[in-house]
């Protein structure tokens, strides 16, 4: 394998996977919060909760719509740039990838479309059921992709048959601790991300002395009361994963030079000459940044939850409002650095102990890989910029500018653009 092609392929996958994950974290968490708020609105018939559902639902739809495009790239990339992986392990991971595509691009999208266009047209209980199906299919989509990733981290339930891997124990793959522990970690981390996002946007409106004081007071509390317990679950889920880490990844994170040398010698004996130590700077810094970001979130959320019990503080403490707005990027930083730690620590393996990265890359010229990297980088950069422009513009405009759920005869208020 040409070293330049290998480096370009790795960089391309890192950029596209990381870019897509920024959408996923917010999508899963917001879907849950919107479903919970709509449940409250359906039972109480409270117009404030209905407006909350429409406002946060609009932001969820924007993030989902742009993020789904980035997900398409991820599905195709396995065949375009990593054909060696699919040739060897397609019989094992092909089914989970297919299920993820079926759930995300068909089931979830279909029910989300019904939810978007069903406002005022469907029975309120049916409409509530639709958003819960959307939320549950978001969880299912995350689970199936983590089943695939879990096999790469900890290959189980297979046997080697010539040049291919053959599935021998489907349950072992589905219940792989590298997948199940990561699932709860990602799910709770997504709730932290959405909770801090909701609290931050609400704080922005309260800082600006919005007219929708009651709506954003409730929203800020919902965000904080979701984010703090979810953060504790995230920490527990992350701690459970340390029990299933590759020994080399753990040794690099702990900077245990003696153990690194011993593990390197063992793998040379087992797999032949080569460098089996993952990039230490990326692996260790990814883990450290993740832990620091979660620590900052903990120091922020604990006092914030206490302050949230006092209505005058929620509505008038403007310095606190600014801190909550500034904290919005923190969960994204924590989750993306966690993925860097998870993925870089597995190097030089695509499937740990089974398939090396250099053997998984498609046999294509460096020029072709360079061109695809340039196209994907520009595309993902534009999509990320577009997504955050649309999110911030809609968030700043407020609930009165929401189109979601508006009846055809309902007038659209005149509002300033962002």
């Amino acid at each position: 394998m040409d070293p330049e092609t290998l480096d370009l392929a790795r960089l391309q996958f890192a950029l596209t996977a990381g870019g897509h994950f920024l959408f996923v974290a917010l999508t899963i968490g917001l879907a849950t919060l919107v479903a919970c708020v709509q449940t409250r609105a359906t039972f109480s018939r409270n117009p404030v909760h209905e407006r909350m559902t429409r406002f946060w639902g609009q932001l969820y739809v924007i993030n989902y719509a742009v993020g789904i495009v980035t997900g398409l790239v991820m599905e195709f990339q396995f065949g375009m740039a990593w054909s060696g992986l699919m040739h060897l392990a397609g019989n094992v991971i092909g089914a989970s990838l297919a299920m993820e595509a079926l759930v995300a691009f068909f089931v979830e999208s279909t029910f989300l479309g019904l939810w978007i266009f069903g406002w005022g047209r469907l029975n309120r209980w049916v409409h509530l059921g639709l958003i819960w199906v959307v939320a549950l299919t978001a969880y299912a989509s995350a689970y199936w992709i983590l089943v695939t990733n879990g096999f790469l981290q900890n290959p189980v339930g297979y046997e080697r048959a010539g040049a291919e891997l053959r599935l021998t124990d489907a349950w072992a793959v589905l219940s792989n601790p590298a997948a199940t522990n990561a699932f709860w970690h990602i799910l709770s981390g997504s709730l932290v991300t959405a909770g801090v996002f909701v609290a931050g946007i609400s704080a922005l409106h309260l800082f600006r002395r919005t007219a929708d004081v009651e709506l954003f007071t409730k929203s800020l509390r919902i965000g904080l009361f979701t984010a703090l317990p979810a953060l504790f679950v995230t920490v527990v889920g992350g701690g459970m994963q340390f029990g299933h880490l590759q020994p080399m990844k753990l040794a690099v994170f702990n900077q245990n030079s003696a153990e690194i040398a011993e593990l390197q010698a063992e793998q040379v004996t087992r797999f032949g000459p080569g460098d089996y130590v993952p990039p230490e700077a990326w692996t260790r810094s990814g883990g450290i940044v993740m832990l620091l970001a979660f620590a900052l979130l903990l120091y922020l959320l604990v006092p914030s939850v206490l302050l949230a019990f006092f209505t005058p503080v929620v509505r008038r403490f403007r310095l606190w409002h600014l801190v909550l707005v500034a904290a919005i990027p923190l969960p994204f930083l924590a989750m993306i650095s966690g993925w860097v730690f998870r993925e870089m620590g597995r190097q030089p393996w695509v499937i740990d102990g089974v398939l090396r990265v250099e053997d998984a890359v498609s046999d294509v010229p460096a020029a072709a890989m360079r061109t695809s990297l340039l196209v994907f980088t520009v595309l993902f950069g534009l999509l990320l910029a577009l997504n955050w422009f649309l999110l911030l513009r809609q968030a700043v405009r407020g609930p009165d500018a929401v189109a979601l759920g508006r009846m055809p005869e309902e007038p659209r208020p005149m509002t300033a653009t962002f």
Side-chain angles (χ1 to χ4, degrees):
M1 170 55 61
D2 176 21
E4 183 182 2
T5 303
L6 176 61
D7 290 341
L8 289 170
R10 293 176 66 186
L11 179 59
Q12 175 178 288
F13 190 84
L15 290 173
T16 53
H20 178 59
F21 188 65
L22 292 175
F23 292 92
V24 172
L26 185 59
T27 295
I28 295 176
L30 268 184
T32 307
L33 291 183
V34 171
C36 290
V37 172
Q38 185 169 347
T39 301
R40 177 69 181 274
T42 303
F43 278 93
S44 68
R45 296 293 191 99
N46 187 327
V48 174
H49 288 104
E50 181 180 344
R51 295 182 73 231
M52 288 169 63
T53 303
R54 291 171 55 190
F55 177 70
W56 299 113
Q58 180 88 59
L59 297 178
Y60 164 73
V61 170
I62 291 171
N63 191 72
Y64 178 88
V66 181
I68 203 75
V69 179
T70 65
L72 290 170
V73 176
M74 294 302 302
E75 297 290 342
F76 287 120
Q77 190 170 188
F78 285 108
M80 291 189 297
W82 302 95
S83 58
L85 169 63
M86 300 313 295
H87 286 152
L88 178 69
N91 292 332
V92 179
I93 65 175
S96 56
L97 286 174
M99 286 298 297
E100 193 276 335
L102 176 66
V103 170
F105 297 120
F106 294 98
V107 180
E108 185 178 0
S109 299
T110 299
F111 280 90
L112 179 58
L114 291 171
W115 182 74
I116 292 172
F117 297 105
W119 285 87
R121 297 176 177 87
L122 297 174
N123 176 280
R124 62 193 178 102
W125 299 105
V126 173
H127 194 251
L128 175 63
L130 291 175
I131 190 61
W132 276 110
V133 172
V134 171
L136 293 174
T137 50
Y139 303 162
S141 177
Y143 169 74
W144 285 114
I145 203 66
L146 285 169
V147 166
T148 302
N149 186 266
F151 181 81
L152 305 184
Q153 300 283 342
N154 177 40
V156 293
Y158 76 97
E159 65 179 9
R160 190 143 197 163
E164 297 179 347
L165 303 184
R166 180 182 300 162
L167 180 66
T168 59
D169 189 347
W171 178 247
V173 176
L174 296 175
S175 61
N176 189 343
T180 55
N181 289 342
F183 172 74
W184 296 112
H185 186 61
I186 294 297
L187 179 58
S188 56
S190 297
L191 289 172
V192 174
T193 304
V196 173
F197 176 81
V198 168
I201 298 299
S202 301
L204 175 63
H205 279 274
L206 294 171
F207 177 82
R208 298 172 68 206
R209 297 292 193 256
T210 179
D212 293 296
V213 175
E214 184 180 2
L215 187 153
F216 287 110
T217 298
K218 292 179 181 293
S219 292
L220 185 144
R221 285 171 170 162
I222 288 172
L224 292 176
F225 293 161
T226 299
L228 182 58
L231 183 67
F232 288 126
V233 176
T234 303
V235 172
V236 171
M240 291 173 62
Q241 290 185 77
F242 270 82
H244 301 281
L245 289 183
Q246 297 90 343
M248 182 67 85
K249 181 191 295 186
L250 193 57
V252 168
F253 180 73
N254 292 327
Q255 291 187 307
N256 190 328
S257 301
E259 188 175 359
I260 291 173
E262 182 181 345
L263 291 169
Q264 167 68 14
E266 288 179 4
Q267 298 212 37
V268 168
T269 302
R270 182 179 176 186
F271 302 110
D275 183 6
Y276 297 96
V277 181
E280 296 187 44
W282 281 100
T283 303
R284 182 166 171 77
S285 61
I288 290 174
V289 170
M290 174 187 66
L291 294 176
L292 286 176
F294 276 121
L296 288 174
L297 284 168
L298 181 63
Y299 294 142
L300 169 67
L301 289 174
V302 170
S304 292
V305 165
L306 296 176
L307 291 174
F309 284 102
F310 303 97
T311 300
V313 174
V314 172
R315 297 180 176 179
R316 298 189 182 93
F317 193 177
R318 305 188 78 192
L319 178 60
W320 180 44
H321 295 157
L322 291 177
V323 171
L324 291 176
V325 173
I328 291 176
L330 269 180
F332 292 98
L333 176 63
M335 296 194 76
I336 201 67
S337 59
W339 269 110
V340 169
F341 173 69
R342 180 177 175 89
E343 297 303 296
M344 293 301 292
R346 189 175 74 245
Q347 302 301 311
W349 300 101
V350 171
I351 304 177
D352 187 52
V354 177
L355 178 67
R356 300 186 202 189
V357 174
E358 61 191 39
D359 299 321
V361 179
S362 301
D363 186 14
V364 296
M369 193 68 74
R370 193 180 303 112
T371 300
S372 65
L373 172 61
L374 177 62
V375 171
F376 288 152
T377 301
V378 172
L379 175 62
F380 270 66
L382 291 174
L383 287 173
L384 283 168
L386 174 64
N387 184 60
W388 279 100
F389 169 76
L390 294 174
L391 283 176
L392 292 176
R393 185 180 68 167
Q394 186 63 58
V396 170
R397 284 177 170 179
D400 288 336
V402 170
L404 180 68
R406 189 182 302 279
M407 295 298 101
E409 66 279 3
E410 187 177 347
R412 179 187 294 274
M414 299 297 293
T415 56
T417 59
F418 174 69

